[in-house]
Structure formats: C-alpha cells, structure tokens
Amino acid sequence: MVDHLANTEINSQRIAAVENCFGASGQPLALPGRVLLGEGILTKECRKKPKPRIFFLFNDILVYGSIIINKRKYNSQHIIPLEDVTLETLPDTLQMKNRWMIKTSKKSFVVSAASLTERKEWISHLEECIKHLLRKTGRQPCREHAAPWIPDKATDICMRCTQTKFSTLTRRHHCRKCGFVVCADCSRQRFLMPRLSPKPLRVCNLCYRQLLAEKKEEAEADRRPTEPIHSAIQGYEPSSGDDSDKSDDEKAEQWPADTEFYTSQVSWSSFHS
C-alpha cells in the first residue's frame, strides 16, 4: 500500500492538509516517499491529567499534537522517527483503558484508545511500519528508552524521601532518569544526558549517585582499553518532559493507592520501600 500511494496526488493532498492544520508552528512533513497511512485521536497520559491528542501515522514517522479545532487546527507538533519506537501493551487502570506505551530513547509516554479493537489496529499498523523501516535501513531495534513520567496526581508526597508533602507552595518535580515525582530537596542535582538534551537535567539524588558511578566506571574502562571487560556497563534511561501542560487546569481525580504504573509490576505503596 505504501508503494502504491507514495507518488499519488491524493497522498500529497493529505499530507498538505496535515501541514495546514499545524500552520506555521509545525514542521514541513512532505518528503519523497513519505506516505500518510492513518490518523486518529488518542488519549495521552500527561503530567497533570489525561488529554486528547491527534496522531498521524506516516510510513517513517509518528506525528502528534494538541487539538485546538478538530480537523482544522492543531499545535505543539511532535515528530517521532519510527525506527526509534518500541511499543508495550499495558493493563487497564480505573481512569484509562486500552493502554499502551510508546517508548523512544528521548521520550516515552502512555496512550489509550477508545476501544480494544482500535488499540489492536494502532499497534498492528505501527509495528508493521517499524518492521518495514528497520528492514529497509538495516538498523537494530532501539534498546534504551526514556522513562515515562509518573503523573503528578499519583502522590501527595515525595516518592524518594516520603516526607515532604506537596502543596501550592511546595512544587512537584520529575527526575529525568526514573520519572518519579520528587521534591526540590531530593532533586537538586543536574546531570548531562546527551541523548535527551545538550544541557544538564534535573535528577533525583538516588539516580544522580547511580549516574556518577556509571560515569566513573566508564572513565576507568577508557583508561584500560587493552583489558577485557567482563561486565557490561548498565545504560540509563533518561526521562522526558511533557507537552502543553502548563496552560491546563489541574483539576484531576486522585489516583487510587493501588494503581500500578507502567512496567514496574509494583503498586504505589512499594515505591516507599
């Protein structure tokens, strides 16, 4: 189907329509060989609360943005190369059903579909595009992924010290490595994670110590290049920020205490241990 549509007028018109909806704030999307395969609205689990987002699936990229006027105007355009994407199906929660995670080296986040059938179709089309693209480029699937941010409403206290209580004056922060919700005292350190940003990013104290240890181990390995290395250096998974949350209201239901987050296989109470 991709080869059939690649050079057709209808494909060019569809891509032009998407570009027009994003306006001047969006990046050009028309490229030779690029095909728009489908679009739809998915619910994205954001930092403050779940929000609808428009998604466009191309044969080589996934594009999504905020909905201003459906079918007419979008903003906050994000472009994700499909060869960097890994998918993971997630269990339902009380708030959201038909969930799965879109994981990349720079940003990982959870989305949900309106039905189980819709989720299966999205995942099927995405996986087919990813497989075709990797086969075409000869690249291996991405194995290092950014950690998704745990929603703000998941906890009223810092997930590291478990002492500081958040309030209007005491802000929540997110560690860019583990994605935990932490207080300022537990996340005063910054660490350079080149895959995510050219600038040092906020990390919690525990992740900072781990990253320093990894950096020291890498430096020692570089000083003895002729010696065999028997253990692989554990890679870290930088987290990423959220999109368009600052302008939204923060009225969201409290997450239940037994909510399971992503692939942790542990409940919220276990984060305190």
Side-chain angles (χ1 to χ4, degrees), residues 67-126:
I67 302 170
I68 306 301
I69 304 174
N70 193 25
K71 299 291 184 181
R72 293 181 59 187
K73 185 173 178 58
Y74 309 119
N75 66 7
S76 302
Q77 184 192 72
H78 296 260
I79 300 177
I80 303 174
L82 287 183
E83 57 189 8
D84 192 35
V85 171
T86 302
L87 306 176
E88 180 180 349
T89 303
L90 300 176
D92 293 345
T93 66
L94 293 177
Q95 289 79 16
M96 300 180 68
K97 301 184 183 301
N98 310 311
R99 306 161 69 235
W100 77 95
M101 188 184 298
I102 298 173
K103 301 189 291 186
T104 78
S105 60
K106 293 188 176 183
K107 184 181 181 69
S108 298
F109 56 92
V110 177
V111 294
S112 68
S115 67
L116 183 60
T117 299
E118 185 178 325
R119 180 179 73 170
K120 288 180 179 179
E121 290 179 351
W122 266 104
I123 292 178
S124 175
H125 288 305
L126 279 163

Side-chain angles (χ1 to χ4, degrees), residues 138-169:
R139 286 187 52 179
Q140 294 298 313
C142 180
R143 301 192 181 280
E144 290 184 298
H145 305 107
W149 284 16
I150 292 175
D152 281 7
K153 296 299 180 180
T155 177
D156 288 329
I157 61 175
C158 173
M159 298 175 73
R160 284 305 183 198
C161 69
T162 71
Q163 301 296 320
T164 301
K165 188 169 184 177
F166 298 120
S167 65
T168 304
L169 298 179

Side-chain angles (χ1 to χ4, degrees), residues 98-234:
N98 310 311
R99 306 161 69 235
W100 77 95
M101 188 184 298
I102 298 173
K103 301 189 291 186
T104 78
S105 60
K106 293 188 176 183
K107 184 181 181 69
S108 298
F109 56 92
V110 177
V111 294
S112 68
S115 67
L116 183 60
T117 299
E118 185 178 325
R119 180 179 73 170
K120 288 180 179 179
E121 290 179 351
W122 266 104
I123 292 178
S124 175
H125 288 305
L126 279 163
E127 288 180 339
E128 183 64 28
C129 288
I130 294 168
K131 182 173 66 175
H132 182 271
L133 193 60
L134 291 177
R135 186 166 58 241
K136 181 180 179 181
T137 61
R139 286 187 52 179
Q140 294 298 313
C142 180
R143 301 192 181 280
E144 290 184 298
H145 305 107
W149 284 16
I150 292 175
D152 281 7
K153 296 299 180 180
T155 177
D156 288 329
I157 61 175
C158 173
M159 298 175 73
R160 284 305 183 198
C161 69
T162 71
Q163 301 296 320
T164 301
K165 188 169 184 177
F166 298 120
S167 65
T168 304
L169 298 179
T170 305
R171 292 184 55 203
R172 291 171 169 83
H173 299 280
H174 278 81
C175 172
R176 269 55 170 187
K177 180 180 184 292
C178 66
F180 275 25
V181 184
V182 291
C183 66
D185 287 340
C186 288
S187 59
R188 293 192 180 280
Q189 304 295 342
R190 301 290 188 276
F191 199 89
L192 180 62
M193 294 180 280
R195 283 189 306 159
L196 187 58
S197 172
K199 299 180 180 179
L201 299 175
R202 180 189 296 270
V203 293
C204 69
N205 296 340
L206 178 61
C207 288
Y208 181 71
R209 291 193 294 269
Q210 292 175 344
L211 289 167
L212 280 181
E214 291 170 6
K215 184 177 181 180
K216 181 180 179 181
E217 187 176 349
E218 290 174 352
E220 291 175 351
D222 290 340
R223 286 197 294 269
R224 52 176 191 275
T226 58
E227 297 182 12
I229 300 175
H230 300 289
S231 60
I233 300 171
Q234 182 179 357

